[in-house]
Amino acid sequence: MIKKITIVAGISVVFLAAACKTKDLKMNTVQKETVSNKKEVVYQVFTRLFGNKNTNNKPWGTIEENGVGKFNDFTDIALREIKDLGVSYIWYTGVPHHALIHDYSAIGISNDDPEVVKGRAGSPYAVKDYYNVNPDLAVNPANRLQEFEDLIVRTHKAGLKVIIDIVPNHIARKYEGKNNPEGITDFGVNDDVSVEYKRNNNFYYIPHKHFEVPDTDKPLNGERNPLVDGKFEEYPAKWTGNGSRLAKPDRNDWYETVKVNYGIRPDGSKDFPELPAGFDAKSYKEHFDFWKGKVVPDSWKKFRDIALYWTAKGIDGFRYDMAEMVPYEFWSYMNSAIKVKNPNAFLLAEVYNPNEYRNYIRLGKMDYLYDKVETYDKLKDVIRGNSLPDGLSDIQNGMADIEHHMLHFLDNHDEQRLASPEFAGTPEKGKPLMVVSTTISTSPTMVYFGQEVGEAGNENAGFGTHSRTSIFDYIGVPNHQRWMNGGKFDGGQLTQSEKDLRDFYKRLLNFSLNSSALMGKYQEIQTVNRHDTQGYDSGIYAFTRWSDTQKLVIVTNFSWLTTSNFELKIPSDIIRKWHLKDGNYTVTDQLYNKSAIQLQVLNGEGKVHITIAPSESFIYQL
């Protein structure tokens, strides 16, 4: 059924009356999950961009022209300010040494061919050497690993934990493991290149064919470079990272990378032991024991060794790129090995197929997955005027058994900036989305650096285009640079509206860290109010959260034009669960502590008068 509804004044939207629920291909059992007793907040920083003070922002600018941030820019003051924002973990994005266009041959690093590198600064997801770090990020590139180890120590000293990327599905076209620990062989060294597939090959091959450079725009925007000659020597050609089996990949393929072989035959069948029935309910220790003595593909061992190498250096967790392109049996093998070494490791996976969520959580032993295709996409649809917020209730209820594992975010390096015209349009319009994203579930919340000061990603960086902060170029991040204030990290150059926005994020995130209700029960009150409440305008969304010690009513207004006045109903079943008797109760907003109103309970039902301004949210505590 399709009908027209208005969510904001003057904007007509289409609302699809359909529940958003996941259906698992492998299991439909509802399991009670054990969750931590406090919210976690992840702060993602694009490490190369965070400390860059250069504001030149020339499209396709060199590192000398546009500058680059360093590990040392994360000073004690910077880390303290991030911690005080309400953060538990920092995800340092782009740390492993990846392919890039800059001459480091003086310290033994080979130059990369611009024809198989995206941009000038390179994609952080084309890793060139897993046992060292990006030389761009070091004051002394020859000492780069020590500079990163010092940053790990500083981060821990600030009371924060460290996450870095592992990209298991693909590696750089020109991978060179020049820093392998003793006993570690490089990717592909022992491969039989005469065949397309063999279980212990690290790559898939296109026998007897040379790799051909794809037809792309001119590398480096046409700048002369001795390696730009229309050729890249790779024989035999390998499958490309996204699975393309063409010797000459398409320009839209992940042509800068090659796909890693995990024992999946070219016909899609599995060439390794599978987990027995019932292992979805078993612990990581039982998974670890299962793999003892099992013969597994060589690539499994290589990535396990990489993860354990960084775990031993004090890394507290990993974000896994495109995890669903790798079988969950491998994740069981690797994640259980990590958890044996560090039971508190934070393991976050990029998975976009709801049909596979439960497999990667329960069989792959992931702690968290991206809640992208449901909550994120729904919120983006709402603020762009394409649907009502009501479907958020169906999403939350449909994932009730795994909701703690579905990490919430509104901004990251892959997505359009929340404040960009292509998303919310202004950072203020993003506020109600942030409140709902942070408070609707027990899952961790993730914030992307600059989001808290309204960064809109408007720059033309060169290879990367506007609306996303480029991950391929040397570029500055203007709003964030104003907060950084030349390294003082005091917000000294922010506008008043940017200061107010950061204050909002700080209040919300710190509240979430300390709220027992946000780790407790959820119940929507949207349906009853949508049907029965006069003045309950299209952009309003409301729900309740509670624990034994804290009761919350959360009300948000997604409209950026309409002030709404209504008597919010609190249904009798919630009143019973909260053990409230008839009478009047004061509820106080926890974001700004400026609004205290009366909840009236009469004949076992509650109501409270709400006046809510455009883009405003209240977190009312009983």
Side-chain angles (χ1 to χ4, degrees), residues 293-307:
K294 297 288 192 301
V295 178
V296 298
D298 184 71
S299 297
W300 291 30
K301 300 173 190 175
K302 280 187 163 54
F303 271 93
R304 177 204 59 192
D305 291 343
I306 289 164

Side-chain angles (χ1 to χ4, degrees), residues 47-49 51-71 73 98-104 119-122 134-141 220 223 461 472-476 481:
T47 315
R48 168 199 325 139
L49 304 181
N52 184 19
K53 303 176 185 68
N54 189 311
T55 59
N56 195 27
N57 285 359
K58 174 186 174 182
W60 289 98
T62 65
I63 194 171
E64 293 83 9
E65 290 170 323
N66 282 0
V68 71
K70 306 289 184 182
F71 293 130
D73 292 318
H98 60 79
L100 54 87
I101 308 304
H102 194 68
D103 189 351
Y104 288 110
R120 186 186 296 276
N134 182 356
D136 277 354
L137 302 177
V139 173
N140 177 5
L220 304 180
E223 176 186 309
F472 306 107
D473 303 280
Y474 299 111
I475 197 73
Q481 288 174 321

Side-chain angles (χ1 to χ4, degrees), residues 46-347:
F46 204 84
T47 315
R48 168 199 325 139
L49 304 181
F50 178 88
N52 184 19
K53 303 176 185 68
N54 189 311
T55 59
N56 195 27
N57 285 359
K58 174 186 174 182
W60 289 98
T62 65
I63 194 171
E64 293 83 9
E65 290 170 323
N66 282 0
V68 71
K70 306 289 184 182
F71 293 130
N72 286 3
D73 292 318
F74 293 90
T75 62
D76 290 338
I77 295 172
L79 293 168
R80 184 190 69 209
E81 288 298 317
I82 292 169
K83 170 74 172 175
D84 289 349
L85 183 65
V87 172
S88 319
Y89 287 82
I90 297 186
W91 166 17
Y92 290 114
T93 305
V95 165
H97 181 188
H98 60 79
L100 54 87
I101 308 304
H102 194 68
D103 189 351
Y104 288 110
S105 57
I107 58 171
I109 297 172
S110 66
N111 288 322
D112 290 300
D113 189 329
E115 289 157 306
V116 289
V117 175
K118 288 184 176 176
R120 186 186 296 276
S123 168
Y125 298 102
V127 175
K128 180 173 179 170
D129 186 349
Y130 261 114
Y131 290 101
N132 215 319
V133 298
N134 182 356
D136 277 354
L137 302 177
V139 173
N140 177 5
N143 195 41
R144 59 196 182 279
L145 185 58
Q146 183 62 54
E147 289 190 28
F148 180 57
E149 289 175 343
D150 292 344
L151 175 57
I152 296 172
V153 172
R154 286 199 305 281
T155 306
H156 287 160
K157 181 183 173 185
L160 295 160
K161 294 185 177 181
V162 177
I163 298 170
I164 64 169
D165 294 279
I166 289 182
V167 189
N169 178 66
H170 48 273
I171 59 176
R173 201 119 225 160
K174 188 181 181 181
Y175 187 95
E176 292 181 340
K178 293 189 173 182
N179 301 277
N180 295 346
E182 187 176 350
I184 299 292
T185 57
D186 218 356
F187 284 94
V189 166
N190 297 318
D191 282 8
D192 178 355
V193 301
S194 68
V195 295
E196 181 180 36
Y197 167 83
K198 186 175 279 189
R199 185 173 70 166
N200 282 326
N201 279 359
N202 295 135
F203 306 121
Y204 298 91
Y205 293 91
I206 308 168
H208 316 303
K209 289 192 176 182
H210 287 271
F211 172 79
E212 296 180 56
V213 172
D215 296 324
T216 63
D217 295 334
K218 291 180 180 179
L220 304 180
N221 203 33
E223 176 186 309
R224 292 177 65 85
N225 183 289
L227 293 177
V228 177
D229 57 5
K231 295 179 291 185
F232 175 78
E233 185 56 39
E234 179 182 288
Y235 182 83
K238 303 180 182 78
W239 288 16
T240 293
N242 61 317
S244 171
R245 306 182 188 191
L246 301 174
K248 183 177 182 176
D250 183 79
R251 64 182 293 143
N252 296 312
D253 288 326
W254 303 346
Y255 59 81
E256 78 278 24
T257 65
V258 293
K259 185 169 178 63
V260 175
N261 166 28
Y262 282 87
I264 299 290
R265 300 183 184 92
D267 66 5
S269 60
K270 296 178 177 180
D271 196 4
F272 47 76
E274 296 191 49
L275 292 166
F279 258 67
D280 57 305
K282 293 192 180 294
S283 68
Y284 71 81
K285 291 179 181 178
E286 293 168 299
H287 279 246
F288 181 76
D289 289 339
F290 171 79
W291 293 110
K292 286 180 180 176
K294 297 288 192 301
V295 178
V296 298
D298 184 71
S299 297
W300 291 30
K301 300 173 190 175
K302 280 187 163 54
F303 271 93
R304 177 204 59 192
D305 291 343
I306 289 164
L308 294 181
Y309 169 85
W310 289 108
T311 298
K313 287 191 177 295
I315 297 300
D316 302 292
F318 302 100
R319 181 268 188 186
Y320 299 129
D321 185 78
M322 295 307 295
E324 66 188 299
M325 297 183 78
V326 178
Y328 51 77
E329 291 88 349
F330 160 73
W331 291 117
S332 163
Y333 171 84
M334 184 158 97
N335 288 341
S336 64
I338 295 169
K339 289 285 191 179
V340 165
K341 294 293 185 182
N342 177 12
N344 298 314
F346 186 105
L347 305 177

Side-chain angles (χ1 to χ4, degrees), residues 344-358:
N344 298 314
F346 186 105
L347 305 177
L348 167 64
E350 184 182 23
V351 174
Y352 296 130
N353 182 359
N355 291 334
E356 291 291 339
Y357 286 168
R358 290 163 180 80

Side-chain angles (χ1 to χ4, degrees), residues 62 90 200 217 242 259 288 398 437 449 499 510 522 533 565 582 599:
T62 65
I90 297 186
N200 282 326
D217 295 334
N242 61 317
K259 185 169 178 63
F288 181 76
S437 180
F449 86 114
K499 290 178 181 177
N510 278 285
Y522 157 87
T533 300
N565 291 278
D582 283 7
L599 165 64

Side-chain angles (χ1 to χ4, degrees), residues 577-595:
K577 291 170 184 175
W578 289 6
H579 307 294
L580 298 183
K581 297 178 180 179
D582 283 7
N584 292 325
Y585 301 83
T586 300
V587 293
T588 306
D589 174 50
Q590 301 300 295
L591 273 177
Y592 292 98
N593 297 308
K594 291 180 179 178
S595 174

